[in-house]
Amino acid sequence: MNPEPGSILVTGGAGFVGSNLCLALREAMPEADIVAMDNFYRRGSELNEPRLLAAGVNVHRGDVRHADTFPRGRFDFVVECSAEPSVMAGQDGNPDYLYHTNLTGAYHCLEAARRWNAAMVFLSTSRVYPIARLESHPWTEEETRFAWQDDGVHGISSRGVTEQVDLTGARSLYGFTKLAAEQLIGEYRETYGLRAVINRCGVIAGPWQFGKIDQGVIALWVMAHHFRDALQYIGYGGTGKQVRDVLHVADACDLIIRQIRDFPAWDGWVGNVSGGLRNSLSLRELTRICQEVTGNTVPIAEVPERRPSDLRIFIGDSERVLSRTDWRPGKDPLQIVTDLHGWVRECEHSLAAHR
Ligand SMILES: NC(=O)c1ccc[n+]([C@@H]2O[C@H](COP(=O)([O-])OP(=O)(O)OC[C@H]3O[C@@H](n4cnc5c(N)ncnc54)[C@H](O)[C@@H]3O)[C@@H](O)[C@H]2O)c1
């Protein structure tokens, strides 16, 4: 093991993953200076500020789009968790915020890391994989979900998408900004010797996620069941059989902390970090778990038409990451929903104001 880092900057540190990570880092590395930088763009992120401060995490108001708003001083690590994380961003005709936060922001993080001689952990996404390739893979319809078939081609199987999949094709503007940032990181590694790891995450879920229709579906579903709001199954015939895998945010944080602690062993890593087939579920299956956990049933309308960038199935095959570490996703979908619901109940009043 390496000496513990003295200082870690988490950009997007008041967001869902960022805030959970800052608190997990605080606990794992009590001596380290942990700074959460955020511009509080995401509705709900402001609710994280008091709990970060109470835990001894410094909060710095800054915007990754503007290099001069980064904190002064130097850091040993930059964990880039800031983003406009919606796959629908830019579909309204204005990609400006998405582009500059996700791509210019990544560039500013890289420049800061270079200046500080810091190592970088970048949160990328399964959305780097081209939509047409995923959508055209053969699938079957089962009673409660769609499932990919094993046809042995394209790097996709019933276990999910591997890093071998051909990256040619469109992937949404969001996916593009993330893949472009990944490639920029690759160039910084080559040109400047920057140390970096890239985690391509699928759906991450857990407490302190302010779910919206276009991002954070598990939290959205749990909150709707708790507050008895109506929902919709959108696309693919409106049956709710579309599938995602899900990783508990605590499991994601656990892996990132292991990477920081053992960075030389991880330096250069680019790959899937996903809940995998075992942690996959369809919307219908999610509904059943939400009913079981909350005791509530809500009306769910069926909207047959799919939206642009929708995916029938996404499961990330994390075989590569699993083969290099004894890290394993510890929490299954039932535990994830139970944890989320526990948080919703605890913070019912402040959350009611944010819906
Ligand atoms: N949550 C998931 O399911 C998931 C899956 C795959 C990848 N990711 C990636 O993980 C990272 C964290 O996602 P999240 O779910 O925590 O999202 P989030 O929206 O909860 O957090 C992002 C944070 O970044 C902040 N932010 C936005 N624009 C900013 C800017 N210009 N400057 C500074 N801060 C800014 C927001 O206010 C928010 O607090 C993102 O890079 C996202 O793309 C998330």
Side-chain angles (χ1 to χ4, degrees):
M1 278 301 147
N2 303 288
E4 297 274 287
S7 53
I8 303 175
L9 176 66
V10 180
T11 50
F16 164 52
V17 177
S19 63
N20 279 293
L21 178 64
C22 284
L23 295 175
L25 284 166
R26 172 77 296 147
E27 209 171 305
M29 302 173 189
E31 304 301 322
D33 182 21
I34 314 287
V35 177
M37 168 174 163
D38 210 291
N39 71 348
F40 296 89
Y41 163 81
R42 177 73 176 253
R43 197 168 147 78
S45 289
E46 68 282 3
L47 297 179
N48 280 317
E49 188 173 14
R51 73 186 191 115
L52 289 168
L53 292 172
V57 173
N58 296 308
V59 175
H60 174 83
R61 283 177 187 265
D63 191 318
V64 292
R65 294 172 300 166
H66 305 297
D68 57 355
T69 68
F70 278 60
R72 292 175 192 282
R74 71 162 297 279
F75 292 85
D76 297 321
F77 278 86
V78 176
V79 187
E80 160 62 320
C81 299
S82 73
E84 165 49 89
S86 168
V87 75
M88 287 167 72
Q91 289 177 7
D92 62 355
N94 186 1
D96 194 68
Y97 191 85
L98 170 78
Y99 185 91
H100 287 298
T101 290
N102 293 12
L103 197 43
T104 312
Y107 163 66
H108 289 150
C109 288
L110 280 165
E111 278 295 290
R114 185 156 81 102
R115 202 166 55 245
W116 296 329
N117 192 24
M120 184 160 171
V121 177
F122 181 70
L123 289 203
S124 189
T125 170
S126 55
R127 286 292 188 164
V128 298
Y129 299 118
I131 292 172
R133 221 159 276 284
L134 305 182
E135 287 293 272
S136 63
H137 190 82
W139 49 272
T140 50
E141 184 165 356
E142 300 178 351
E143 199 182 326
T144 59
R145 62 160 71 191
F146 299 120
W148 272 327
Q149 291 180 356
D150 287 307
D151 73 352
V153 292
H154 303 323
I156 306 177
S157 74
S158 57
R159 289 188 312 283
V161 177
T162 72
E163 296 87 345
Q164 307 307 318
V165 113
D166 182 351
L167 289 179
T168 314
R171 53 187 48 77
S172 77
L173 287 164
Y174 165 67
F176 159 77
T177 58
K178 289 297 200 172
L179 183 60
E182 281 192 8
Q183 291 180 339
L184 190 57
I185 291 168
E187 296 301 331
Y188 267 61
R189 284 180 54 73
E190 194 63 28
T191 311
Y192 303 122
L194 180 104
R195 293 163 296 134
V197 305
I198 297 173
N199 295 317
R200 289 183 180 160
C201 303
V203 172
I204 306 172
W208 297 95
Q209 183 171 32
F210 300 97
K212 310 184 285 169
I213 189 155
D214 55 336
Q215 208 261 341
V217 66
I218 311 279
L220 174 77
W221 230 250
V222 172
M223 283 197 218
H225 278 81
H226 179 81
F227 291 108
R228 297 171 194 267
D229 294 336
L231 286 167
Q232 292 180 318
Y233 290 138
I234 300 175
Y236 306 102
T239 58
K241 291 188 180 182
Q242 55 267 61
V243 169
R244 297 289 184 274
D245 68 0
V246 54
L247 184 66
H248 195 291
V249 67
D251 287 325
C253 292
D254 177 25
L255 179 66
I256 294 169
I257 289 172
R258 287 166 184 244
Q259 290 173 330
I260 290 174
R261 282 199 157 134
D262 196 14
F263 205 80
W266 285 92
D267 188 14
W269 158 257
V270 184
N272 294 341
V273 172
S274 240
L277 182 61
R278 275 187 52 204
N279 263 21
S280 68
L281 77 176
S282 69
L283 280 179
R284 280 171 91 97
E285 293 162 355
L286 175 60
T287 300
R288 195 185 42 73
I289 297 176
C290 288
Q291 288 169 348
E292 188 183 314
V293 170
T294 66
N296 295 336
T297 298
V298 301
I300 306 185
E302 297 184 356
V303 181
E305 299 77 33
R306 78 187 264 282
R307 294 169 309 185
S309 310
D310 266 357
L311 294 175
R312 183 181 295 276
I313 303 170
F314 188 86
I315 297 171
D317 184 336
S318 292
E319 192 46 45
R320 273 182 66 238
V321 75
L322 298 179
S323 68
R324 59 182 297 160
T325 164
D326 60 4
W327 171 85
R328 296 289 177 270
K331 298 210 184 197
D332 66 14
L334 175 62
Q335 288 168 302
I336 292 170
V337 169
T338 305
D339 281 6
L340 251 164
H341 186 236
W343 165 64
V344 173
R345 269 197 315 204
E346 210 173 292
C347 300
E348 190 172 49
H349 293 300
S350 42
L351 287 175
H354 275 80
R355 287 181 312 126

